[in-house]
């Protein structure tokens, strides 16, 4: 009799643990309209110096989760390329023909596909395309060499996102590679991300 009661107790306790999610409610990450703030590092590749010094990068974004897996957003990013000459050196010198330090501003539309790795953890491949402003011009342009350049950009990236125990907040990190078309400048940004979903 004792043996039967013991087996029954084990069976009931294991099924109860398996069927009851934490606090009685199954976890689902919040999806919908979101904003995000990102601060990280930025650099360029190519040019006479092969790569630029790493500089600070700021990105702000708004977007909407269309489904559990697909998100669309608009992001504004600001970084700079430091000590990398894209215009070539003046003859017989190591002086850049144009500025080897310039600001890079992005205004992009982005799309992300969230792949669930665990209950709160997602891998997010991304694509981006939009507008770039380079100031001052790092490559030859007609007219004033100090003027800005406006050019399109396209890029890809990958991120990781974790839905925290605070209901509206997710944190993560992204790596984005963008190519500025026209001046032909590859840019890279690596940044942690804080996302708030309304």
């Amino acid at each position: 009799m004792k043996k039967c009661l013991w087996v029954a107790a084990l069976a009931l306790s294991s099924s109860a643990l398996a069927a009851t999610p934490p606090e009685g409610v199954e976890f689902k990450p919040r999806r919908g309209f979101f904003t995000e703030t990102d601060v990280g590092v930025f650099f360029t590749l190519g040019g006479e110096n092969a790569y630029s010094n790493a500089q600070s990068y700021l990105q702000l974004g708004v977007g909407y989760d269309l489904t559990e897996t697909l998100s669309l957003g608009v992001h504004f990013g600001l970084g700079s390329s430091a000590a990398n000459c894209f215009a070539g050196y003046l003859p017989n010198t190591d002086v850049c023909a144009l500025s080897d330090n310039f600001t890079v501003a992005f205004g992009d539309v982005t799309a992300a596909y969230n792949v669930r790795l665990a209950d709160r953890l997602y891998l997010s491949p991304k694509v981006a395309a939009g507008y770039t402003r380079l100031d001052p011009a790092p490559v030859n342009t007609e007219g004033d060499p100090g003027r800005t350049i406006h050019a399109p950009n396209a890029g890809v990236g990958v991120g990781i996102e974790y839905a925290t125990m605070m209901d509206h907040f997710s944190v993560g990190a992204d790596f984005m590679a963008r190519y500025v078309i026209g001046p032909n400048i590859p840019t890279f940004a690596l940044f942690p991300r804080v996302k708030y979903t309304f």
Side-chain angles (χ1 to χ4, degrees):
M1 183 66 177
K2 285 183 180 179
K3 188 175 181 181
C4 291
L5 289 174
W6 187 75
V7 171
L10 279 178
L12 288 173
S13 64
S14 62
S15 63
L17 288 172
T20 307
E23 299 180 15
V25 179
E26 182 183 358
F27 171 76
K28 285 191 177 180
R30 187 176 288 271
R31 297 294 182 198
F33 178 72
F34 66 84
T35 62
E36 63 178 75
T37 304
D38 317 316
V39 178
V41 295
F42 178 88
F43 61 97
T44 60
L45 289 183
E48 298 291 336
N49 307 94
Y51 56 89
S52 72
N53 295 332
Q55 299 292 300
S56 58
Y57 179 73
L58 171 65
Q59 180 173 278
L60 303 173
V62 295
Y64 193 83
D65 299 308
L66 299 176
T67 67
E68 188 76 20
T69 56
L70 183 63
S71 300
L72 291 179
V74 177
H75 291 85
F76 302 93
L78 185 64
S80 61
S81 177
N84 194 6
C85 178
F86 286 91
Y89 292 129
L90 295 173
N92 304 316
T93 70
D94 59 355
V95 177
C96 190
L98 293 173
S99 179
D100 60 355
N101 297 285
F102 55 93
T103 299
V104 184
F106 298 103
D108 286 350
V109 174
T110 60
Y113 186 83
N114 301 309
V115 180
R116 183 177 169 180
L117 301 178
D119 257 359
R120 297 175 179 270
L121 188 64
Y122 295 83
L123 182 70
S124 301
K126 302 181 178 195
V127 293
Y131 161 88
T132 316
R133 181 178 187 266
L134 307 173
D135 183 24
V139 295
N140 289 321
T141 59
E142 296 177 4
D144 180 7
R147 75 177 193 171
T148 61
I149 293 178
H150 305 272
N153 77 76
V156 295
V158 66
I160 195 111
E161 182 179 311
Y162 178 76
T164 69
M165 300 293 279
M166 293 184 291
D167 186 30
H168 295 268
F169 286 93
S170 297
V171 296
D174 280 18
F175 178 76
M176 286 294 300
R178 295 182 184 97
Y179 190 77
V180 183
I181 302 163
N184 301 325
I185 298 175
T187 72
F188 300 87
L190 176 65
F191 47 89
R193 188 159 61 93
V194 178
K195 175 182 173 184
Y196 182 88
T197 305
F198 290 88

